[in-house]
Each structure stands twice: as structure tokens, then as C-alpha cells.
Amino acid sequence: MATTPEPSQNDSDPQDDSEDKSEDSATQDTLPDERFGPSTRARFTSPKDKPQRESAFRIRLPIIKDEFETLPDYIRGCITQVIEEARKETAGGIKQFEVLQYPGPVGLELILSIEPKQNDARSTNQSTIGSFRKRTHLPGVNKITKAIQKYVPEECTVERGTLDLSPLGNTPVNASRLHLTEDHVTNPVGTSGVDVLATTFETLREHSVAFLYQTLFTPAENGQYTAAVRLATYPPQFVFTGKEGFAEIAERGHPFDLATTFSKYNFTSNFRGLTDRYWETEYTEKINGEPVASASYTDEMVTARKSKARARREANQVKDIVLGKSDYWHMLSANATWDTLLKKELNRFARFKLTGPFLPQLTGLVRLRWETNPWAVVPGRDAPTFYTEEILNTYGSTAPNYGEDDEFIPVPDETLANTGSIEHHGHVQSIIDIFTEGGDEIYEITQNSKSLPDIELHTESGEISTIPLTVDASYVSVEAELNNKTKATTTLVNADRAYAMGRHVIFVYDSFKSANRGFTHLSQPYNDTLSDRDDGGVRLYNRTRPVRCPDNRIPVMKGSISTTWELFGRDRIVAHVNGERIAGGAPGGDVGEFSWDTNFYQEVDGVHRVEDEDGAVIETYNKKETFTSEWTKISLPHIPICGNYLHFATVAYRTEEGGIDVYFDPPSWDTPDSVGKMNRHRGCLEAFADQLICEREDARISSGALQTWAQHYYTASSTHDTPPGSIIVQALPDEIKDAKKGGTNNRNPHYPGYDWVIPPEIDTPHRPGVEEGLTDLTETLTETSVADVEIDADEAE
């Protein structure tokens, strides 16, 4: 369940000026009374937005049918009249007007607030910062109060207080923002013939969409305003993220794009027409409903003066603008900021000038009634909360106009807690918030003596909406990779555990940079290649656990040393220290049974002993710390399950905007179709062969296995659909393709003289397994969670 962000310590804290703070006694387990102030539940990361509006006005239309239907005609423009009069009367003292509209508990709600000009007069009768904020608002608030009493019909309820936006959740959604192109101006008032704002709201109501609509007006010269207009929609099915969501918006648009109705006034939006010069996108839906999406850089903007790196940075900015998630945070903070790339390269203007008579087309008071509560089906989010300080006008009933039987989507139990650092727990909680608000069913797992994933996702259909991702399983493991970003072997152990449980696994890192490192570990799960050696092979990562011999002794060496494990196919694995071989044998066996050219350690009756091969005591220590200061235990190797883990693992990261994205940094060979599909296929297979295949005498790779692993590699690395096996064979490097042999009628086709650098399915006791009684994954979550998977808890975070 999403937690409420801690109120921002800025000029919008409604409790600063409270005369009686003792009444706000809400604890972490209770909700505060609406009259006194927002929740102050602690969060591990500070929200980037300023989710409150101080000294705001809430205007509600009557919900009694007769009163609602007999509202006077001038109600449509009453907000414009209030803004125009307040602007005139305050002689430029208001920096910005903001109007927010959203479906609330009694129908459509309208919030009017201001940002005053901050004159630095704090030394004049200003005893506290809070009183300074209150005084700067006071002139505008007084004038707005008088204008509301003059122009807003008495049938409406009007209150003054503080609006708290934090119930909207902690993760961003797509924001549609109106733009004008360089050669367009808004149509004259009245030429449209359609009330586009009412049409927009009616469409949202018909689809029961929870939304937030914002208009910002900054007074300009000659009676004009500089305006910004945005719309955010919250149902998970309308929140698009990652390359798939980006490609879908670019190809198909957003179903609730402001430009759909406002194009009548010459407006467009960030969802339209921005990608052509920077991206080549494809989006199709297969017969089974599974989407196939790709987004590739076009590099069309690369010139002698603009490098490819700079052009791609701009392309990433365009992607960010189109998705609108950064703009959403600006929306919550009442900030009209826009990306300069829009004006420089795209000839778009996200702030535009208009005159007062046009204001009703953007922010008129629309007469609509809601029959149901659209927030009831948006997990982890709720309508903004208004804390009333003064009732200016009330008329008729204010009870909700929808039934109380609306079903809420169940949300996870927040009482479960992982052990671990505060930072790790905060990372876990943020991940749960993001997936919950994204519409997924997610649970934190209580850790016990067994090794379990941090979090589990449950999906009956196999579809995960937050990322998005489709998997062939009901349960998906989620690993919160915070400390593991520098410990490759721990990440790989977590991947091994998911593989042993037959699950897909999502690794969530705290940044793009950390995800890059994690992606490398999972795509190339060994420390280095031995390409300079005739017999090929790889250097393995070390595990944190030491080697243990059959007699329970641990090989040790004097001093601070590190072990280097080298794997050569299925034939041999060798351990070196300082360039000297200390052990070796078959990789499928227990390395503890090797012949070790070392001393050995064991603890006997509290005494730490170092012995030779025959058991003769060399040194004894009463304290373990003394022993570890002089000796080093030999670490186990991490023998990967296969060449890479990405065919059942997804790497994601928390974005600066507060959401989660799938790691996306396509290789140079992942070019758009316009460059040629076969060129892309050949580039992929060349990289695949360089990374995972080596020459080795008396070895061979079957054609079927090569096609399977190459397709896994292609899927994990590319934004495009995976080619069939026949194309994989054609795209192989010539030296491998020419080596192909097979029996009569091409039976048992294979590639002699080649082998995997990491042979799939090495049967080794140092790989995780599953007990015979592993619980069926179709059973209950609790039963599945305690599956006795043989992973060492001290190696898996």
C-alpha cells in the first residue's frame, strides 16, 4: 500500500500557523481529522514535489438535482471573473493563479490558489517565516474572497483552506500538456462552437477515469496571461512507461490526450509529433494480445556540429517529454517549467499567451455530476484532501453522491517487514509503493532462516502493468538490489534462486548507473574472458562462502590474498592464488574434494586452528579476529547456470521522477529497420559469438541449443522482435556457419570445434537446487514463499 509522503517543509505547510497543534494527534496508524492537517507518515526518501496549496479556495457545485440543474448560465465564466478582478485589484501582487479540477467525494471539485510575489519585507512585523508566508498571501486571498462572494452563485459551497496532493501517490503518471507550434496561435474565442473542456471531462467521466486537470495563469502585459495546461490520469492501464509505453504513445497516442479536444483551438500536445527526427518506433499487438514494441535512435540529428552522443541525449529528452512524467512533478508543484529543447529544436511552446476572455475555454466551471467514485479502482492512490479553515458559503447537501458499496482493489499488508538496513528497507518500501500504484499486486516477504526473495508479485494473467512485462508464471520474484550493485556474486545467487524456483525475477536498482552494472553481471556472469588462451575459458566471480572439504575443514592461505577461479568448458576448473595453481578438477564435482595445496582451518572447542594436510596443528588462535587478520579462507567459485540470466530476469531501476523503468541502453548493433534487419541480426550474432562461444578441440555445439541461446540473447539485448531460428543460422559469423555439420538428411546438426565459454547446465553441488517437496507455484502465496530453496541466506540480500 502506498504511504503518504511527508509534508514538504516549504511555504505550504498548513500547520505552521495553527493556534492549537495539540489537536493534530494522528499517529502512523491513524488518519488525521480533515480539519487539522495532512498525514506526517515518515518516508525514506523525500518527495521531489511540493504537494500542498496554502490559502486555497475549494468550490463545489450542488449535488441536489434540482439545485444543480437550475444553476445560472453565467457559472461557466465565474472563475474567469474572479481571476480578472483579483488580478486588477491587487495591482500586480499575484505572480500566478492556479486552477485544479478533479473528481472528489461529492463530484467535480475546483481548487483556486495563488502564488504571491515575494517582496522581501521580512523584517517588518514578521516574527516567523510562517507569518511572512501568510502575509504575502493575504492581499490576494482577501481580494479573491470578495470576488468569489460577488461572482460565484450562492448554490455552490466555497471553503478556504489547504489542499494536500500527497494522497495522489508517490509515483509519476503520464501528463498531457497543451503546446502551440511556432506558427500557430489560439483560435479566437467562440470559433470552435464546442465546449472542449466539458467534452474532455465528460469523456473522463464516461470511462470512470480518476484525473487531475491543471491550468496556470501568469499575468502579463496588456491584460494578457501566460498559460500552461496539463492533464494527468491515474488508472494503471492508462499509465505508460519504458520503451514499450513510449513506443505505444508515439505510434497510437494516449487515450486521454488533451489535444484530442483542444486541437479545435490550434493546440497540440507532448503526446503528438515529437519523435520523428529522433526515434523510429514500432508498436503492434499480436493475435494473443501481447504487444511488440521497439524504439530505436534514428541519429538523423547527428551533424558535423552535433555528435551522436549529444543527439542521443536529446532523443532521451524527447522520450521524457513525450511520456510527461517529469512534467507531472512540475504539475504537482504548480511549476510551469518546460524543456528548452521544445523551443530550440522542436518549435513547440508549452507556455502560451492568451487574453482574459479565453480563460473559460481552459478553466471554466463545468456542470457535471459523478455517479461513481473513480478513485475506488486506483490502487495506492486517492483524491487530494482539502483541510478546511473557513467556510465562506454553503448551500444544500454535501454528502457523497455515489454509493458506499464500491469495491476497492485489495492492497498489500504493510505489517510485513524484511530484516536489513534502514536504507534497504526504504528501497523495498519504495518498490512496493511504485508497483502498487502501477496496478500490480505485490507483497513484501517476511525473512526467516530460509533464503527468500525480498518481494513477490502475483499476476493471474502473467501481465505486470507497472513496467510493463508479460511472464509465463503466476508469481514473480522481485529483488531490491541496493547493496548488491557492487557485489556481482550476490546478484547472481539471487538469480540462481529464482531459476531454481522456476520463476521470472525482476532486479530493481536505485539508479540507472547501478542498473547498468547489474545488467552486465546478469548478461555476462563471469569476471573476465581468457581470450588470450588457446583453450578459451573464463574467470569466475567468487562467492562469499568459503570452500569446505568433506572433513568440514576450510582451505586457507597466509596473508591477504584473493582466489582466481578459471573455468574451461566442461573439462576443468582451476583455482590460482598469486599466479600459482592451488587446486583443480572437474567443474561438475565438489571443489572441496579437490587436492588442495594449502593449509586448512577448523574450529575445535572454541579454538581456531590452522592445520596441514595431515591434520598437524600449525597455529592456534583464541579469537577469530586474530585468525582472520593473518589468514584468508579460499572462496567458492560462482559457476553460472548459463551464458546469461536475462532470458528469465528483468533489470529495472528507480527513476529520478519517482517511478520504475526497465533498463534500456541498446547496443550499437540494435539499429532501426530502416538500416536493414539483416545488418542488425548479424551484429547481434557477432556480439553473441564473441561473448559466449570459443574454439575448443573435441567439443561441439548443437544447432538447436545455439539457436535457443542466441534468441535469448537477442531478446534480452534488443528492442526488436526476436528472429526465427532459420534467420539466426543465416546471421552467424561465417567461420561458425561454415563449420556446421550433420548426418544424413541433416540429422543432428552441430558445430564441431566450438564450445560455450559457460556450458549450460553444469551439474555442480554449488548450484542451487530445490527440495523434492518444492511447493507448487499455483498454491497459496504463503506456501510458495516458504519453499525450501537451497540458497545460502548470507549470500542473498
Side-chain angles (χ1 to χ4, degrees), residues 30 177 193 423 453 506 572 579 697:
T30 61
R177 182 167 180 168
E423 293 81 5
I506 302 171
R572 59 195 171 99
E697 294 182 5

Side-chain angles (χ1 to χ4, degrees), residues 392-424:
L392 303 178
N393 185 51
T394 182
Y395 188 94
S397 172
T398 57
N401 67 340
Y402 55 83
E404 298 180 357
D405 297 328
D406 295 42
E407 291 187 4
F408 282 75
I409 292 178
V411 292
D413 184 354
E414 290 188 317
T415 61
L416 301 179
N418 281 45
T419 58
S421 67
I422 292 176
E423 293 81 5
H424 182 260

Side-chain angles (χ1 to χ4, degrees), residues 172-176 231-233 238-241 249 254 270-271 322-325 328:
V173 297
N174 306 115
S176 172
L231 173 68
T233 52
F238 303 127
V239 177
F240 301 90
T241 188
I249 287 180
H254 194 288
N270 56 304
F271 291 155
V322 170
L323 288 173
K325 293 192 174 183
Y328 174 73

Side-chain angles (χ1 to χ4, degrees), residues 570-598:
R570 294 176 177 82
D571 297 332
R572 59 195 171 99
I573 182 172
V574 180
H576 292 90
V577 171
N578 297 329
E580 296 185 6
R581 183 181 186 278
I582 59 171
D590 183 352
V591 297
E593 296 179 353
F594 291 176
S595 176
W596 286 93
D597 188 14
T598 64

